[in-house]
Amino acid sequence: MTSEPRVVIITGGSRGLGAGLVQSYLDSGDRVATCSRSGTPQVETWQDDPDTSDRFLFVPADLSKSADAETFVKAVVDRWGQVDVLVNNAGVARDGVLGLTSDDDIDTVIDLNLKGTLYMSRLVSRRMLVRKRGSIVNISSIVGRSGYRGLAVYSATKAAQEGLTRALARELGSSGITVNAIAPGYLRTEMSHGLDEAQLQQIVRRTPAGRLGDPEDVARACQFLTDPRNNYMTGQVLVIDGGLTG
Ligand code: NAP
């Protein structure tokens, strides 16, 4: 007997790490929903490919707005009736020393990275509580632990996501729902474009694995954390950084 494909939500899956996560779950045969403010050629490919078109849903949404998060989750539940996995991946960074950071930049980063994660976790955990099953993974960052010059607001939101992970794991554990976080090191995505080549090379030199991370490195860990057989590990943060902060 084959089990039903899972329903997986990956936020911010139009590019970067999120796109790698979407691909990984589509490759596992799951039904995958993602959102971002705008579509990309990658999103169109998943929508058009006969192998994925009926297992893939894209909803344009700005997750810093509670109403958009609600519209997104409703669209997923209308289509597939449930949610098995939520990966809070959508995130944004604004570079600059705190003393020169504008109110707008502080709001942008907190509204998506922290409030967006809270909105999505609130909406999805309600559904998971009814079924008494599910997994939530929050994509944090090593800078939430180590800090990084010029990323104070971003680092604060990533540390907050880890606090949320631990609290929610306690809140949902007795209902069979796991909540974990992944703290990736530096990945070559649009977000790391703010780092110049010299900074990237320095990071590579200091990384025992001798390279930057790939979305696939994180996707493998995420698959492990959301495997329904792996239901005794919760409230943890898995660091995937090639040994950089080990
Ligand atoms: P990215 O390439 O910039 O992609 C971010 C994704 O989030 C895009 O799909 C983007 O699409 C979406 N997004 C941005 N603002 C949004 C909003 N308001 N509402 C909904 N979606 C929104 O970033 P990434 O490097 O893949 O980062 C993904 C996650 O990994 C983030 O949480 C980040 O903090 C974390 N991370 C990244 C690194 C790294 O080195 N790159 C390291 C550690 C952790 P739109 O712009 O169209 O909305």
Side-chain angles (χ1 to χ4, degrees):
M1 192 182 92
T2 53
S3 56
E4 241 207 355
R6 293 175 298 179
V7 176
V8 179
I9 292 182
I10 314 280
T11 67
S14 63
R15 60 168 191 265
L17 173 56
L21 291 165
V22 170
Q23 188 63 60
S24 169
Y25 284 93
L26 285 173
D27 290 347
S28 306
D30 295 308
R31 295 174 285 193
V32 183
T34 194
C35 70
S36 57
R37 289 165 303 172
S38 31
T40 56
Q42 177 61 79
V43 165
E44 284 169 26
T45 303
W46 287 319
Q47 284 171 326
D48 295 343
D49 184 341
D51 186 43
T52 53
S53 55
D54 62 342
R55 294 187 293 120
F56 176 73
L57 174 67
F58 174 76
V59 178
D62 178 350
L63 293 183
S64 60
K65 300 186 175 127
S66 174
D68 277 26
E70 203 152 343
T71 304
F72 174 40
V73 174
K74 184 176 182 310
V76 178
V77 173
D78 285 350
R79 173 107 171 236
W80 290 316
Q82 66 193 57
V83 182
D84 298 292
V85 173
L86 167 65
V87 183
N88 285 306
N89 163 79
V92 68
R94 290 282 184 269
D95 293 327
V97 292
L98 185 62
L100 298 175
T101 302
S102 67
D103 286 359
D104 270 359
D105 279 352
I106 291 175
D107 287 344
T108 299
V109 175
I110 291 178
D111 286 355
L112 178 62
N113 298 7
L114 181 53
K115 291 169 83 175
T117 301
L118 287 165
Y119 298 145
M120 286 300 296
S121 302
R122 179 174 62 179
L123 287 160
V124 170
S125 65
R126 279 181 198 149
R127 311 260 167 197
M128 290 178 170
L129 279 166
V130 174
R131 297 176 67 230
K132 291 196 176 301
R133 57 195 279 195
S135 321
I136 299 175
V137 175
N138 296 318
I139 304 295
S140 162
S141 164
I142 52 168
V143 306
R145 327 182 119 212
S146 61
Y148 198 88
R149 188 182 172 281
L151 284 178
V153 184
Y154 176 79
S155 302
T157 60
K158 293 296 165 180
Q161 280 185 323
E162 295 189 11
L164 166 67
T165 299
R166 286 186 280 270
L168 213 49
R170 289 182 185 278
E171 207 167 290
L172 303 177
S174 61
S175 300
I177 300 161
T178 64
V179 187
N180 291 288
I182 295 176
Y186 299 90
L187 312 168
R188 218 179 257 279
T189 66
E190 209 160 291
M191 186 176 280
S192 53
H193 285 176
L195 298 168
D196 61 33
E197 208 43 46
Q199 285 172 304
L200 289 173
Q201 287 315 318
Q202 189 186 49
I203 291 164
V204 169
R205 274 197 306 278
R206 290 179 180 171
T207 302
R211 63 172 176 85
L212 297 178
D214 291 322
E216 294 72 29
D217 297 314
V218 177
R220 273 187 290 275
C222 199
Q223 288 275 6
F224 166 74
L225 291 174
T226 57
D227 185 319
R229 291 167 298 181
N230 187 19
N231 56 10
Y232 200 60
M233 180 172 174
T234 191
Q236 303 302 310
V237 181
L238 218 48
V239 176
I240 311 284
D241 68 351
L244 180 62
T245 58

